[in-house]
Amino acid sequence: MLEGFATQPADLPVLTAMRRAAVEVVRAYESETTDSDRVRYLRMQDLISASPALMAACVERAAARLDEVARLIGVRMGVDPAVDPRPYLVASVTLCAVPTAVNAWRATGRDMPDSELIGQAFDLLSAGLDHPAGSA
């Protein structure tokens, strides 16, 4: 997803670029060419959603990449994350809030592809947290 985020057009706002990258990656998994790959992906997501320990491990793994994500966000925003805390705020919120929202919605029975749920989570965040891209 980070590679996809880095290659989004420079004029896209931060959360818009993150949303596109995340949705593109998940859609690629959802549309695997073989049924076994697609089923394996879906089963893995179901297993993670049903296990607090696995969900915690996913959050921990995301947190381990916080500096890298904040750096990429800082580049897009045209700010230094060492001076401006917004890249860390956006990175923290998206790394934790998006998977949490998707899992909560799944638990309530929303029967939609993960890519759609991820898009909806980013849409909610964008309504209050989106920041325009910095001028290059």
Side-chain angles (χ1 to χ4, degrees), residues 35-117:
D35 284 339
S36 63
D37 288 340
R38 187 173 29 261
V39 169
R40 184 175 49 224
Y41 168 77
L42 294 172
R43 285 187 180 157
M44 182 66 76
Q45 295 311 308
D46 289 343
L47 182 62
I48 291 169
S49 294
S51 169
L54 289 176
M55 186 62 191
C58 287
V59 170
E60 183 178 343
R61 185 173 180 218
R65 301 196 80 180
L66 183 63
D67 289 335
E68 182 181 4
V69 176
R71 182 187 60 74
L72 288 171
I73 291 170
V75 167
R76 180 166 293 273
M77 290 173 66
V79 301
D80 180 357
V83 177
D84 187 329
R86 291 176 298 167
Y88 274 96
L89 174 63
V90 174
S92 297
V93 168
T94 56
L95 289 172
C96 292
V98 171
T100 300
V102 169
N103 285 322
W105 289 333
R106 238 193 252 123
T108 64
R110 277 198 186 179
D111 190 23
M112 303 173 86
D114 285 355
S115 58
E116 294 296 321
L117 295 175

